[in-house]
Amino acid sequence: MTAAGANAIINSMFNDPGRETTRMSVFLFLILVLLPVLVYLNSLPNSFHYDDMSYILGNEHVHTLSSIPHFFTSSRLISNIPLSGYRPLTMTSFALNYAAGGANPFGYHLANVIIHLLNTLLVYGVALSLMRVFKAPYRLYAAAAVAAIFASHPINSQAVNYISARSTLLVGTFSLVCILLYVHMSEVREGRRKWILLAASLLAYAGALLSKEEAVAVPGILAFFELCRLRTLIDRERLLRAMTSLAPFLVLTLAFLVLVVYGLGVIENTPQARSLQENLLTQAKSIFIYLRMMVLPVNLSIDHAVPVATSLFQPLPLAAVLMLAVVLIGSLSFLFHAPLVSFGIWWFILTLVPTSTLIALKLVVNEQRMYLAGVGLVIAAAAGLARALESWEEYGLIERKKYITAGLLILIICFSGITIYRNTQWRTPLKLWLDALKQYPNSYRANTVVADLYLDQDNPAQALPLAEKAMFLAPDVPEIRLILAPPHSRMGRQEDALEQARAAVDLNPASTEAQTLLGVVYARLERYAEAEKAWERAVELDPTNVEAAENLQNVRNILDKQQRTTSAGG
């Protein structure tokens, strides 16, 4: 970060030339420092969850600082299971956390809370700068309201509590710095300072890309910002300046995509959960689920069971597509008289594009995707409300300002209370997933995970009915059979366990986990020759499968002993 860039960030928070005083700026700044700390203080005792086991605890690459250079050259070090992802800065942060505190989750949660605090201040700076550029009224208070809602909104609790969501926090940090510096750069007409700010903004964008791939949405946000700035006067000189400023971001994006797609094969190695048509239609529905959670943050969950849309002519997908078109076209109507409203709506949509279009991720709705996207919606709402207040003041309805202020304070207090309660649900994996099962009892994923957690507690009797329900809900998902076989086996029902283990192999013959499990069940049935074949296949599929390799050696010893006994008896 350059000195000019640092000065721009500081000035965005304290040097507002409007009627508001510097003393009020400092007071609001201190409130915004305190708020996220108070809201997330009770998240510090929480545990690791879900992907944390494979990304951090079981990932030997995170356990040594010598791996840090390799994070920048490989996409295969993100997990100890076959996954592909290029997030070197995120992985570096995990390695530093591990070096400082090992497998103690406290340090990881503390780091997440600190990053969220920093992001709260950056949201304040970005909102204040945008409102200054577009001459929004009450900009100091509106920007503070945006940041306070960001700090306390329950939908952000997943990104802060879920350690593996560090990538979401970091891409938020670098993206916000990038946008903030770009906005300041746009206010400088010419000269060395303009180019320094542009270079610093580009550097921040590079940091966002190295934190999480979804940062590719940032140039779209910057381009729409330029469109809003040029809305009233588009001449050749201004258009050329805007294109010159945006060009480096587009070049860097193209280079990054070439590296990730063709150089590292990230997209090729990412399994697609749905067809392109199904994904686009289903994600159109998810847009309105996110909107509902922003307005009314209830029924939050680590897992949202959203039916996949298969045809445009189904009622819900058709309605979602039509409503989305209305929202996007309607937002353009605000471009001239309320540009920040239009900009905020498009910020929201553009941020979701990388995770909601060409790549069909397993989770249709994921609350952490709203961490940066939600900022746009809150900016749009704050800008619109500020304009309304200005109009009311012109008509002598100044008392409404008191009601709006009181309403915002009540809203922030309510959001904070819900978030503090939500933090307690992240205390342990079982508590988190039992809550998800309560919200979505027909989610096969929630049933499967809770069954697995009961197995970890050596409680097969409680695991079995949940695993059976998951199989009923999704009979073709091989992972469910991997969970269904062990409770049968631990309860002495080896033939039932064998049936499920075989089904897991039939559904996914290339699964080393399924072959390993099949070998275990054969061994418990004392069918050692068949166990040997299963474990041989497991090791063939994954030479690093330590469990299968050790079991294979043990079963060969048993078979050799049986053969010697038979030979001696003969």
Side-chain angles (χ1 to χ4, degrees):
M1 180 65 64
T2 64
N7 287 334
I9 293 174
I10 294 171
N11 288 338
S12 70
M13 297 178 185
F14 295 108
N15 186 24
D16 183 61
R19 295 174 296 175
E20 295 83 10
T21 64
T22 301
R23 182 178 298 179
M24 180 56 72
S25 298
V26 173
F27 173 74
L28 292 174
F29 178 85
L30 293 176
I31 291 295
L32 293 175
V33 169
L34 189 60
L35 182 59
V37 173
L38 293 176
V39 168
Y40 284 101
L41 188 63
N42 71 327
S43 73
L44 297 179
N46 290 350
S47 60
F48 290 103
H49 291 275
Y50 206 55
D51 286 340
D52 297 342
M53 313 307 168
S54 56
Y55 282 16
I56 301 169
L57 297 182
N59 188 353
E60 63 181 13
H61 304 292
V62 169
H63 301 169
T64 171
L65 295 179
S66 63
S67 296
I68 290 177
H70 303 291
F71 292 144
F72 290 84
T73 59
S74 174
S75 64
R76 301 302 181 90
L77 309 183
I78 194 171
S79 174
N80 68 342
I81 59 177
L83 283 177
S84 186
Y86 187 64
R87 301 171 184 179
L89 288 183
T90 300
M91 300 309 296
T92 297
S93 77
F94 289 151
L96 293 173
N97 254 143
Y98 195 89
N104 185 346
F106 177 86
Y108 299 86
H109 286 296
L110 179 62
N112 276 19
V113 172
I114 291 172
I115 297 170
H116 182 59
L117 188 159
L118 174 61
N119 289 345
T120 297
L121 300 179
L122 287 170
V123 167
Y124 176 53
V126 168
L128 191 57
S129 299
L130 288 169
M131 291 180 182
R132 182 180 63 249
V133 168
F134 293 108
K135 298 179 174 56
Y138 306 108
R139 54 182 175 267
L140 185 64
Y141 302 103
V146 171
I149 290 173
F150 172 82
S152 61
H153 201 292
I155 203 169
N156 290 335
S157 60
Q158 178 172 320
V160 181
N161 279 281
Y162 190 16
I163 296 171
S164 291
R166 176 80 57 81
S167 57
T168 297
L169 299 178
L170 288 176
V171 76
T173 303
F174 287 108
S175 297
L176 289 166
V177 171
C178 170
I179 294 168
L180 179 58
L181 293 174
Y182 190 92
V183 172
H184 276 274
M185 181 275 301
S186 71
E187 296 180 281
V188 179
R189 183 156 183 89
E190 294 293 345
R192 180 170 174 267
R193 185 168 182 269
K194 183 181 184 70
W195 293 107
I196 290 175
L197 287 172
L198 179 61
S201 179
L202 190 65
L203 182 63
Y205 176 51
L209 290 172
L210 296 176
S211 299
K212 195 174 186 180
E213 301 87 343
E214 67 186 45
V216 294
V218 171
I221 296 174
L222 300 181
F224 203 85
F225 167 74
E226 291 288 4
L227 177 63
C228 291
R229 281 205 318 130
L230 299 174
R231 68 194 186 281
T232 56
L233 178 61
I234 302 181
D235 57 42
R236 182 177 179 181
E237 181 182 353
R238 295 182 70 191
L239 186 60
L240 182 60
R241 283 204 302 266
M243 292 176 64
T244 302
S245 299
L246 290 171
F249 294 91
L250 299 178
V251 171
L252 182 56
T253 303
L254 181 61
F256 177 78
L257 290 175
V258 170
L259 170 66
V260 169
V261 175
Y262 298 104
L264 301 174
V266 171
I267 305 300
E268 179 184 355
N269 296 314
T270 301
Q272 300 295 302
R274 295 166 293 282
S275 69
L276 178 59
Q277 175 182 309
E278 289 175 340
N279 192 51
L280 292 175
L281 294 175
T282 305
Q283 290 298 339
K285 293 193 302 180
S286 73
I287 295 290
F288 297 96
I289 296 174
Y290 289 131
L291 287 171
R292 192 271 303 165
M293 288 192 291
M294 284 296 295
V295 176
L296 191 65
V298 295
N299 300 116
L300 300 180
S301 174
I302 186 66
D303 179 60
H304 291 268
V306 180
V308 174
T310 57
S311 170
L312 176 61
F313 300 104
Q314 292 175 313
L316 283 179
L318 180 60
V321 169
L322 291 175
M323 289 176 64
L324 183 58
V326 169
V327 168
L328 292 179
I329 295 171
S331 68
L332 294 177
S333 67
F334 292 108
L335 195 59
F336 291 95
H337 63 278
L340 264 185
V341 175
S342 182
F343 175 70
I345 293 171
W346 279 85
W347 172 320
F348 163 65
I349 296 295
L350 290 169
T351 305
L352 291 175
V353 164
T355 55
S356 304
T357 53
L358 299 180
I359 302 175
L361 300 175
K362 181 183 292 185
L363 297 182
V364 173
V365 170
N366 191 342
E367 291 168 17
Q368 70 190 55
R369 294 174 194 161
M370 285 299 293
Y371 189 75
L372 185 59
V375 175
L377 285 179
V378 182
I379 287 175
L385 187 58
R387 289 292 183 192
L389 279 173
E390 185 180 47
S391 299
W392 293 335
E393 189 173 353
E394 291 176 359
Y395 288 101
L397 302 174
I398 195 168
E399 72 280 356
R400 293 191 180 182
K401 188 190 300 186
K402 298 178 182 178
Y403 301 140
I404 295 297
T405 302
L408 284 173
L409 288 174
I410 292 171
L411 182 68
I412 292 166
I413 291 171
C414 289
F415 281 172
S416 298
I418 296 171
T419 299
I420 290 170
Y421 172 72
R422 183 69 181 149
N423 294 340
T424 65
Q425 294 174 319
W426 283 84
R427 189 74 72 220
T428 66
L430 183 58
K431 188 171 185 179
L432 178 68
W433 283 95
L434 282 173
D435 175 73
L437 192 59
K438 179 181 177 182
Q439 303 294 341
Y440 297 97
N442 289 324
S443 164
Y444 83 83
R445 186 166 174 255
N447 279 278
T448 302
V449 174
V450 174
D452 193 29
L453 291 170
Y454 278 135
L455 284 175
D456 289 342
Q457 296 182 353
D458 198 22
N459 193 344
Q462 282 192 278
L464 184 58
L466 293 168
E468 288 177 334
K469 183 175 181 180
M471 184 187 70
F472 173 78
L473 293 167
D476 296 330
V477 176
E479 291 80 8
I480 296 175
R481 306 304 179 109
L482 295 176
I483 302 300
L484 187 52
H488 281 299
S489 182
R490 293 186 194 182
M491 295 169 72
R493 305 170 184 171
Q494 301 305 332
E495 291 297 337
D496 292 331
L498 180 60
E499 179 184 352
Q500 299 305 326
R502 282 173 171 168
V505 171
D506 291 341
L507 288 168
N508 187 5
S511 168
T512 184
E513 294 86 356
Q515 296 287 353
T516 302
L517 176 63
L518 181 61
V520 169
V521 178
Y522 274 135
R524 288 176 178 170
L525 287 167
E526 298 184 1
R527 295 164 63 171
Y528 298 119
E530 291 165 295
E532 180 185 28
K533 291 181 181 179
W535 285 328
E536 282 178 345
R537 179 59 178 155
V539 173
E540 179 185 339
L541 289 167
D542 180 11
T544 65
N545 187 332
V546 177
E547 179 186 356
E550 291 178 351
N551 289 345
L552 181 60
Q553 184 60 48
N554 292 335
V555 79
R556 284 174 174 170
N557 292 337
I558 293 173
L559 289 171
D560 288 343
K561 184 177 180 180
Q562 286 180 342
Q563 187 175 6
R564 287 195 301 270
T565 301
T566 301
S567 298

